[in-house]
Amino acid sequence: MSPLSDAYRDHPLHLHHIIPLDFDSVQTVPDSHVWPTSHALESDDHLSIPTVDLMDPDAVKLLGHACETWGVFQVINHGIPLDTIGEVESEARRLFSLPTGHKLKALRSPGGATGYGLARISPFFSKQMWHEGFTVMGSPVDHARELWPNDYQRFCDVMEDYQKKMKELAITLMQLILKSLDLSEEEISKVVSPGDASTALQLNSYPFCPDPSRVMGLAPHTDTSLLTILHQSTLNGLEIFKDGVGWVLVSPTNGSLVVNVGDLLHILSNAQFPSVLHRVVSKEKEQRLSLAFFYSPPTDFHVSPLALNPAQVPLYRSVSVREYIHIKGKNLEKALSLFRI
């Protein structure tokens, strides 16, 4: 068991907050999954998140500006081969296309953090989401064996390789982002070290839906992580909330990855970088997939504001990653405010 999965054991969920709907068996959207309608602002040239080229000589400045003004950006020339992303998406499709009863063999346990099930934010909302997920931390071999007793190795190899590449990218991004805050190499190395980190890979499926306008794929939330790196398949659905603007659509573009600031980076930056509120709405009837990689420090690491000049006061008290996960597990929206000084 990884220390990160261990951190989730303290607040087990009821099975009804873990087991997804049998999406294959429904002809209409059940009342349990009908959400009030909300209209998003369609993205246009004036409303699109920044794109940062990692090969740009000004990447540090551009990343800092994107984190400060939006809390989210698309990254290109990130070094992750498109073939690698395609393989992970293909394996995710293979998993989610299994019959529901079969997928339940890999169900996340009530106190567990990995395997098949609903989003962890489900208990905070009165309506259920049109979503099923599969969480991986390290090797998924135990759950993969349940799904494919004679053919699990390919899934494991692809997931482990992707996590390794994503962790390397996350470290690169974190180093550049922290440089934009004028931190010293020594300060940066305390937060970002190649060996220690808490990471998780979340495979998301938003299944075929008979009436997409009535459902919510993933309810509004911020991520706990330092940062999250997301690949989305070709269908629209992801929206981020920008103050003074409203909901902004983040359309998938070929070859780019979406990176968003999480709560822990918000604390680290002393609120200079907003932890971006985001959601997934269903735009099409067809299935949509995404792959989210979450990067955080080790669970015993204490996060506190680093980017302070002599005139600044810290806005947040120091908190361990484990404690923050525990508090957010009980107070989804209020977690950050509870650590505000």
Side-chain angles (χ1 to χ4, degrees), residues 180-193:
S180 79
L181 292 171
D182 294 327
L183 297 182
S184 68
E185 292 293 338
E186 188 186 351
E187 285 177 304
I188 292 171
S189 65
K190 282 179 190 167
V191 180
V192 186
S193 65

Side-chain angles (χ1 to χ4, degrees), residues 5 10 22 30 47 58 61 91 107 132 136 138 158 201 213 249 257 268 309 314 326 332:
S5 58
D10 302 338
D22 180 357
L47 285 181
D58 287 331
K61 188 174 155 194
E91 286 301 304
L107 189 69
E132 54 182 341
V136 181
V158 167
L201 172 61
S213 64
L249 185 65
L257 294 165
L268 211 61
N309 63 44
H326 181 69
L332 183 70

Side-chain angles (χ1 to χ4, degrees), residues 49-54 63 73-78 169 173 229 253 255-259:
I49 67 170
T51 296
V52 178
D53 183 342
L54 274 197
L63 287 168
F73 55 91
Q74 306 241 30
V75 64
I76 57 172
N77 283 323
H78 44 66
L169 174 59
L173 287 165
I229 308 173
T253 57
S256 73
L257 294 165
V258 178
V259 181

Side-chain angles (χ1 to χ4, degrees), residues 66-282:
C67 287
E68 192 169 342
T69 54
W70 283 85
V72 61
F73 55 91
Q74 306 241 30
V75 64
I76 57 172
N77 283 323
H78 44 66
I80 308 293
L82 291 182
D83 287 354
T84 299
I85 296 170
E87 283 175 1
V88 184
E89 192 176 315
S90 173
E91 286 301 304
R93 226 172 267 282
R94 179 162 81 109
L95 186 158
F96 291 122
S97 64
L98 292 168
T100 299
H102 202 79
K103 286 182 281 196
L104 292 176
K105 291 181 180 179
L107 189 69
R108 196 171 73 231
S109 65
T114 61
Y116 178 72
L118 292 169
R120 288 200 77 87
I121 60 173
S122 298
F124 294 99
F125 299 94
S126 58
K127 293 293 187 175
Q128 294 201 37
M129 291 161 245
W130 202 265
H131 169 271
E132 54 182 341
F134 188 90
T135 312
V136 181
M137 295 177 184
S139 171
V141 64
D142 292 342
H143 285 121
R145 242 194 220 120
E146 295 291 333
L147 298 172
W148 303 284
N150 305 310
D151 185 22
Y152 59 85
Q153 197 59 49
R154 179 167 51 127
F155 182 83
C156 294
D157 290 346
V158 167
M159 295 303 150
E160 288 179 58
D161 177 59
Y162 190 67
Q163 289 175 92
K164 182 167 168 277
K165 287 186 168 72
M166 279 285 145
K167 185 179 176 184
E168 289 168 0
L169 174 59
I171 288 170
T172 299
L173 287 165
M174 277 303 304
Q175 287 170 335
L176 295 170
I177 289 167
L178 293 179
K179 259 185 200 162
S180 79
L181 292 171
D182 294 327
L183 297 182
S184 68
E185 292 293 338
E186 188 186 351
E187 285 177 304
I188 292 171
S189 65
K190 282 179 190 167
V191 180
V192 186
S193 65
D196 294 335
S198 302
T199 67
L201 172 61
Q202 175 76 17
L203 313 178
N204 296 305
S205 163
Y206 304 93
F208 173 88
C209 181
D211 191 353
S213 64
R214 305 183 75 201
V215 305
M216 178 69 73
L218 211 51
H221 66 286
T222 61
D223 293 338
T224 298
S225 55
L226 281 171
L227 54 78
T228 304
I229 308 173
L230 180 84
H231 161 74
Q232 39 179 354
S233 61
T234 53
L235 296 176
N236 281 324
L238 175 65
E239 295 179 341
I240 62 104
F241 190 82
K242 184 161 173 58
D243 284 342
V245 173
W247 291 103
V248 178
L249 185 65
V250 181
S251 293
T253 57
N254 192 35
S256 73
L257 294 165
V258 178
V259 181
N260 68 265
V261 172
D263 295 351
L264 297 178
L265 183 51
H266 176 77
I267 294 172
L268 211 61
S269 72
N270 204 34
Q272 195 169 325
F273 300 157
S275 182
V276 71
L277 191 69
H278 53 287
R279 68 181 185 183
V280 175
V281 296
S282 296

